[in-house]
Amino acid sequence: MSEKVLVTSAWPYINVTPHLGNLVGSVLSADVAARYYRLKGADVLMVSGSDTHGTPIEVEAIKEGVTPKELTDRNHARVATLFQKWGASFDNYTSTESPVHKTFVQEHLMKIYKNGYIFKQETQMLYCEHDQRFLPDRFVEGKCPHCGYERARGDQCDKCGRLLDGTLVDPRCIICGNTPTCKTTTHWYIDLSQFSHKLATYIKDNKQMSSNAKNFSLNWIKEGLKPRAVTRDVEWGIPAPFPGAEGKTVYVWVDAVLGYVSATIEHCQRLGEPEKWREFWFNKNAKTLYFVGKDNIPFHTIILPALLLASGEDYNLPWDVSATEFLQFKGEKASKSRKIGIWIDEALEMFPVDYWRFFLTATRPETKDTDFSWEFFVSKINADLNDTFGNFIHRTLTFINSKFQREIPNPINMAAEDELVLDGMRQKVESIAQEIEESKLQSAVNTLISLSRMGNQYLNDKEPWKLLKTHPEKASAIFHIAAHIVKALAICSAPFMPTTAEQIWSTLNLQGSVHKARWTDALTPLQPTHKINAAKPLFNKIDVDEKTLDEKLLLIRKTQNLNAQK
């Protein structure tokens, strides 16, 4: 039976189009892992969806003068299409408005309620007298009581990552800017403290979880877990199912993290196998992989595991939570209102998708925040993709086209050093696999480039073009090995650059799709006399400066704004 692997990415708030920083830690990383495990022959299910509920949606809808449903219906369709353009291979990209999701969330919370882990109590909440509404989460901003950040939100500080639950210094209403008062209301809470020991043990024993996720979570538990509200005083969301909770909705992050389960259920129902979802959630040999940004860590290492444990059912807890740090732009956090950052629709108008997929993975902020610059982007694409990866493949295949009549040559006279090159190739293929499985995606894609660099060095050292007349059998062996490396590059690049990998596969004249191949096929050489197709350059060198690229991005934004106004 195939290994079961559930791959998930954090559900993006659908109030605005995601930027590159949103993409790199979640959808893009998840897609690399999903594509890799499919090549390994695993039974892979990749799920996520649009987070259509919660205060970010209501705030944006108020600003635009539309209903939350109008906003989310429009943006969900747009973002789902954009993710397809980015090559995201979701088996199910759904939304929190899905009827399957709503039903599952309400039923799951009622199980927890009946198990005695959810209780209600009166509490003081921030209230805006001007707008006549409570101010949960993103309806309020203020100073973080932990780090002093001036623009912390009511539910979480963007700077230090702490969950706040409205405990801000100098709060202000995000709609009118007035200072709120406090007013009594009733909410339902899950008692996280009852799971402190189980959660601490789970996190300590988890060998796959990224160190930043593990350390953050253990420190949070050490400080003492407190009851966490699972309801909100907002209209837009899933109605709270508890007795007496009329008018309350489910807190968006409780809603969203349970979406990983409901999205699996929804997909299996569509397959006509309504019980298959249990193979991913209860089979103890199944792997569940979560790809998130560091601001989402506590929701995936504390909140979701607690919700699963509290149900009384033996759910699989996250096998791996891979959390990236922030991708910044010119030293600042992305902000659409301040025009800082690059959004995923804009990026695709600038350069082909595989340029971006490669660069973002190769510079993935795995251990610290990284800063995007056009200068770094251009140098990385030109040096690694064009001059190294693309150059090796193109020079190998064009030489076989012209000197061997498009046929893979016969390795009749392999030398000991040739065998060493093949051993080096095998080691790099194995290293890429191991690094992906350890969620070290930055290392993995850079190892991929080092494999092509090794191929270039091999050709430069051997100079087989000089051997064609004097030692043609040696030249044949060298280009046979070079062609084998090209095939390995096609397969190993498929998780990172799916379109480019398919182009290489097609040029090699191999049957089917590279994405239907197996990872082990990378170690199987092309057969002598196998005919390949004419080679074309895979990439184009970028020959523009940073100022020109900034101007092009600004022009794209102006055009988008004009189109939006029509």
Side-chain angles (χ1 to χ4, degrees):
M1 182 180 289
S2 300
E3 178 183 31
K4 305 290 181 184
V5 181
L6 179 70
V7 182
T8 75
S9 63
W11 293 48
Y13 279 133
I14 212 69
N15 54 329
V16 292
T17 302
H19 56 72
L20 296 184
N22 300 138
L23 186 85
V24 64
S26 56
V27 173
L28 179 55
S29 298
D31 188 63
V32 170
R35 288 179 181 277
Y36 163 76
Y37 278 104
R38 291 188 191 110
L39 289 168
K40 290 280 284 186
D43 184 3
V44 176
L45 183 57
M46 180 178 168
V47 300
S48 186
S50 296
D51 192 347
T52 61
H53 297 146
T55 56
I57 305 300
E58 284 201 76
V59 169
E60 185 64 25
I62 290 170
K63 289 179 180 178
E64 293 191 21
V66 298
T67 67
K69 181 163 178 54
E70 288 174 324
L71 176 72
T72 54
D73 284 351
R74 180 191 74 205
N75 287 0
H76 170 68
R78 171 176 166 74
V79 171
T81 299
L82 282 170
F83 285 162
Q84 288 179 344
K85 291 180 178 179
W86 273 87
S89 57
F90 286 112
D91 294 288
N92 188 23
Y93 185 80
T94 182
S95 88
T96 50
E97 271 292 276
S98 158
V100 174
H101 174 71
K102 290 180 177 180
T103 298
F104 175 78
V105 168
Q106 291 178 322
E107 290 178 350
H108 190 90
L109 289 178
M110 282 306 297
K111 287 179 183 177
I112 298 174
Y113 177 79
K114 290 175 182 177
N115 288 342
Y117 296 117
I118 289 179
F119 62 92
K120 74 172 182 176
Q121 71 175 25
E122 289 189 345
T123 185
Q124 293 286 303
M125 298 290 290
L126 295 175
Y127 185 83
C128 180
E129 297 289 352
H130 178 271
D131 294 318
Q132 296 289 294
R133 67 185 307 155
F134 283 100
L135 302 179
D137 307 337
R138 298 201 183 189
F139 273 106
V140 63
E141 283 187 352
K143 184 185 292 185
C144 174
H146 302 286
C147 71
Y149 179 56
E150 294 286 349
R151 297 189 63 186
R153 305 190 308 261
D155 57 343
Q156 188 178 24
C157 175
D158 275 342
K159 187 172 183 180
C160 70
R162 300 287 190 96
L163 301 187
L164 300 177
D165 218 4
T167 55
L168 295 169
V169 179
D170 299 328
R172 58 191 175 275
C173 174
I174 197 69
I175 302 300
C176 67
N178 289 333
T179 300
T181 59
C182 282
K183 191 172 181 178
T184 300
T185 185
T186 301
H187 279 300
W188 279 253
Y189 294 79
I190 181 170
D191 189 359
L192 295 178
S193 65
Q194 295 196 48
F195 303 98
S196 296
H197 178 71
K198 286 184 177 179
L199 290 171
T201 300
Y202 150 68
I203 293 167
K204 287 176 184 175
D205 291 346
N206 190 308
K207 294 180 174 58
Q208 291 75 36
M209 189 180 294
S210 63
S211 59
N212 58 348
K214 181 173 284 194
N215 294 335
F216 181 95
S217 305
L218 290 175
N219 287 335
W220 209 51
I221 294 171
K222 187 177 180 181
E223 291 177 5
L225 296 181
K226 298 176 177 62
R228 181 83 182 166
V230 298
T231 57
R232 287 292 189 265
D233 286 304
V234 293
E235 295 180 2
W236 178 243
I238 299 176
F242 316 115
E246 293 78 10
K248 309 286 181 180
T249 53
V250 176
Y251 172 45
V252 64
W253 265 107
V254 172
D255 169 357
V257 293
L258 290 176
Y260 300 121
V261 186
S262 68
T264 312
I265 294 171
E266 183 178 83
H267 176 71
C268 293
Q269 286 180 355
R270 289 174 180 169
L271 287 178
E273 301 179 72
E275 295 303 310
K276 183 179 172 64
W277 73 276
R278 296 181 177 276
E279 297 175 12
F280 293 94
W281 284 98
F282 295 101
N283 177 352
K284 296 309 166 189
N285 292 321
K287 293 178 180 176
T288 52
L289 314 179
Y290 296 76
F291 292 91
V292 303
K294 69 177 179 181
D295 51 337
N296 292 340
I297 287 173
F299 302 108
H300 293 81
T301 60
I302 303 292
I303 303 296
L304 174 59
L307 290 169
L308 298 177
L309 289 168
S311 72
E313 298 187 61
D314 193 20
Y315 279 94
N316 290 339
L317 301 186
W319 183 78
D320 185 14
V321 177
S322 177
T324 54
E325 301 294 307
F326 288 145
L327 175 65
Q328 297 182 321
F329 299 86
K330 299 183 179 180
E332 296 187 79
K333 182 177 170 60
S335 169
K336 197 150 198 174
S337 62
R338 296 161 62 202
K339 296 181 174 59
I340 299 171
I342 301 173
W343 271 254
I344 64 173
D345 54 341
E346 299 170 342
L348 295 183
E349 291 194 47
M350 299 284 290
F351 293 102
V353 64
D354 277 359
Y355 286 46
W356 289 110
R357 285 181 63 112
F358 165 75
F359 175 80
L360 292 172
T361 309
T363 58
R364 185 173 182 255
E366 294 176 352
T367 58
K368 62 180 180 180
D369 293 352
T370 60
D371 199 29
F372 176 88
S373 73
W374 283 120
E375 182 182 7
F376 189 27
F377 175 82
V378 170
S379 66
K380 193 79 174 165
I381 297 301
N382 286 347
D384 286 356
L385 272 196
N386 189 74
D387 298 349
T388 304
F389 184 90
N391 178 55
F392 168 69
I393 293 171
H394 190 63
R395 72 194 292 207
T396 297
L397 299 186
T398 52
F399 205 89
I400 293 173
N401 284 159
S402 62
K403 303 301 181 183
F404 294 95
Q405 293 74 52
R406 291 172 43 195
E407 289 186 355
I408 299 298
N410 197 344
I412 56 177
N413 192 7
M414 252 193 231
E417 55 264 37
D418 296 329
E419 293 288 355
L420 287 176
V421 171
L422 289 174
D423 286 341
M425 180 197 70
R426 294 184 192 102
Q427 290 173 15
K428 288 189 183 294
V429 170
E430 291 170 2
S431 293
I432 295 168
Q434 182 178 349
E435 287 161 347
I436 294 176
E437 292 183 18
E438 293 174 355
S439 294
K440 297 176 180 177
L441 306 186
Q442 184 189 112
S443 296
V445 76
N446 284 306
T447 301
L448 174 75
I449 297 302
S450 75
L451 174 56
S452 62
R453 186 175 293 114
M454 183 188 79
N456 269 324
Q457 189 63 52
Y458 175 60
L459 292 182
N460 292 342
D461 291 344
K462 290 290 187 176
E463 298 182 314
W465 42 88
K466 292 183 179 180
L467 299 173
L468 275 175
K469 290 184 178 179
T470 57
H471 298 89
E473 70 285 353
K474 289 185 178 180
S476 294
I478 292 166
F479 274 104
H480 179 89
I481 291 170
H484 188 179
I485 296 174
V486 171
K487 182 186 176 187
L489 288 171
I491 292 171
C492 294
S493 66
F496 309 103
M497 299 178 285
T499 303
T500 300
E502 197 74 273
Q503 186 178 343
I504 301 167
W505 195 256
S506 176
T507 305
L508 290 175
N509 195 27
L510 293 168
Q511 291 187 343
S513 167
V514 67
H515 304 293
K516 298 297 183 182
R518 288 290 173 261
W519 191 262
T520 51
D521 292 341
L523 304 180
T524 304
L526 294 163
Q527 293 301 306
T529 72
H530 172 81
K531 277 206 174 281
I532 66 171
N533 293 317
K536 297 178 181 179
L538 295 171
F539 311 102
N540 294 311
K541 200 154 191 164
I542 302 172
D543 191 22
V544 288
D545 59 20
E546 188 166 352
K547 181 182 177 182
T548 303
L549 291 170
D550 277 335
E551 289 173 349
K552 183 177 180 180
L553 181 61
L554 184 61
L555 180 61
I556 289 169
R557 286 180 178 165
K558 286 182 178 178
T559 303
Q560 287 182 347
N561 289 336
L562 287 172
N563 291 336
Q565 292 169 10
K566 291 179 180 178

